C-alpha cells in the first residue's frame, strides 16, 4: 500500500519567494494534518482537515501560511512570502477518524530551506 | 500551561537490555496517549496507542503503561537491539479540539 506521499522532498529557495508543499494522503483516510518540525520547537501541528474541511488552523503561524484540500486525495501548504525562519521539515499525515484515537500515518516530509 | 516532557538527554543502553523511556505531562486530561518512532530523515511511525482506562498495552517487545494519577507514561523495549536506535515521541490529545500534541522526543541508542 502506498503511504502518505509528499513533494518535493527538499526545497531551497530565496527569501520572499512563494513555496508550495504538496501531499497525497492514504486512500480512504478522512483526516489530514500538516506539521512543522524544528530542533527548537519539535513537532507542531499547523492545521488539520476532516473530510476536506479545515477544522483547526490555530497552529498556522501567520497569514503568510495557507493550506487547501480541494479533494480527498490532495492537499497543499503554501508560504508566501517565505522567510528564513520558515526553514524546517514539514510533514503531512493522514488518519481515519479525527486522528487522536487512531494512528496517524506520516509522509517523509519536505525539508525546506529559505536563504 | 500544558506541558509534555520527555527525557531530553539521549538514552544509551547495551543490546539485550530493557530500554525505558518516560513521558510526563501537566495540565492535561488525555483520553489517549500515542507513541511514535522517528528515524533520521523520515517521518514518525506509529507504534502504540493506549487509552486512559488501560493501564498497560503490549506489542511484541514493546510495552506502554499509562498512569493518569502520576500523569506519566512509560515506554519499554525489552531485549533491545541496535535496530531499535531511533527517536521516540509520545503524543497526547489536547484538551481543546482533540488534536495531538507531541513531546520533544527521546533519542535512544542501543550499542552492540
Amino acid at each position: 500500500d502506498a503511504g502518505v506521499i509528499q513533494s518535493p522532498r527538499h526545497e531551497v529557495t530565496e527569501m520572499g519567494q512563494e513555496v508550495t508543499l504538496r501531499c497525497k494522503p492514504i486512500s480512504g483516510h478522512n483526516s489530514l494534518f500538516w506539521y512543522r518540525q524544528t530542533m527548537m520547537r519539535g513537532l507542531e501541528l499547523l492545521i488539520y482537515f476532516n473530510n476536506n474541511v479545515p477544522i483547526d488552523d490555530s497552529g498556522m503561524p501567520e497569514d503568510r501560511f495557507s493550506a487547501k484540500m480541494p479533494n480527498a486525495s490532495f492537499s497543499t501548504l503554501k508560504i508566501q512570502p517565505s522567510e528564513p525562519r520558515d526553514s524546517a521539515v514539514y510533514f503531512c499525515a493522514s488518519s481515519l477518524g479525527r486522528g487522536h484515537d487512531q494512528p496517524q500515518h506520516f509522509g517523509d516530509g519536505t525539508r525546506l530551506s529559505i536563504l | 500551561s500544558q506541558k509534555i516532557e520527555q527525557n531530553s538527554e539521549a538514552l544509551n543502553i547495551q543490546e539485550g537490555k530493557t530500554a525505558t523511556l518516560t513521558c510526563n505531562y501537566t495540565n492535561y486530561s488525555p483520553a489517549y496517549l500515542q507513541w511514535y518512532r522517528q528515524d533520521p530523515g523520515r517521518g514518525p511511525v506509529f507504534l502504540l496507542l493506549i487509552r486512559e482506562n488501560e493501564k498497560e498495552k503490549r506489542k511484541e517487545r514493546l510495552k506502554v503503561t499509562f498512569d493518569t494519577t502520576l500523569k506519566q507514561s512509560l515506554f519499554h523495549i525489552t531485549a533491545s537491539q541496535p535496530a531499535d536506535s531511533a527517536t521516540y515521541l509520545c503524543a497526547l490529545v489536547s484538551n481543546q479540539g482533540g488534536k495531538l500534541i507531541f513531546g520533544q522526543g527521546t533519542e535512544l541508542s542501543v550499542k552492540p
Side-chain angles (χ1 to χ4, degrees), chain A residues 87-107:
Chain A
S87 298
V89 182
Y90 290 80
F91 288 103
C92 175
S94 70
S95 75
L96 295 169
R98 293 269 176 160
H100 56 82
D101 61 344
Q102 296 288 333
Q104 292 191 13
H105 299 260
F106 285 76

Side-chain angles (χ1 to χ4, degrees), chain A residues 9 35 37-43 45 48 56 58 91 99-104 106-108 111, chain B residues 32-34 36 38 41-46 49 51 89 93 96-104:
Chain A
R9 286 299 313 277
Y35 290 90
Q37 188 173 41
T38 60
M39 288 293 294
M40 287 296 294
R41 299 174 67 88
L43 193 62
L45 179 68
Y48 85 90
D56 185 341
S58 59
F91 288 103
H100 56 82
D101 61 344
Q102 296 288 333
Q104 292 191 13
F106 285 76
D108 280 335
R111 183 172 294 276
Chain B
Y32 312 93
L33 188 149
Q34 301 189 24
Y36 288 77
Q38 187 173 22
R42 306 299 299 274
V45 174
F46 172 80
L49 180 152
R51 293 174 169 76
L89 303 160
V93 182
Q96 296 146 354
K99 60 189 179 186
L100 272 186
I101 308 296
F102 282 81
Q104 290 274 52

Side-chain angles (χ1 to χ4, degrees), chain B:
Chain B
S1 63
Q2 296 178 324
K3 192 185 289 188
I4 304 171
E5 290 184 336
Q6 296 187 248
N7 314 58
S8 56
E9 293 186 10
L11 181 63
N12 298 303
I13 65 168
Q14 204 68 31
E15 182 176 9
K17 302 292 186 185
T18 295
T20 298
L21 285 68
T22 305
C23 177
N24 294 304
Y25 58 92
T26 54
N27 295 323
Y28 279 101
S29 299
Y32 312 93
L33 188 149
Q34 301 189 24
W35 282 89
Y36 288 77
R37 167 186 173 139
Q38 187 173 22
D39 291 283
R42 306 299 299 274
V45 174
F46 172 80
L47 296 174
L48 283 166
L49 180 152
I50 187 165
R51 293 174 169 76
E52 62 177 342
N53 60 353
E54 298 175 315
K55 297 300 179 190
E56 180 180 298
K57 200 147 188 186
R58 293 175 185 260
K59 178 182 173 183
E60 297 172 354
R61 295 183 296 111
L62 308 180
K63 184 177 85 171
V64 171
T65 63
F66 191 10
D67 189 326
T68 55
T69 301
L70 291 179
K71 296 188 182 298
Q72 180 181 78
S73 175
L74 298 178
F75 178 81
H76 306 272
I77 306 175
T78 57
S80 60
Q81 305 166 0
D84 295 326
S85 299
T87 296
Y88 291 85
L89 303 160
C90 72
L92 301 178
V93 182
S94 161
N95 292 345
Q96 296 146 354
K99 60 189 179 186
L100 272 186
I101 308 296
F102 282 81
Q104 290 274 52
T106 297
E107 185 179 347
L108 172 67
S109 178
V110 181
K111 303 294 185 189

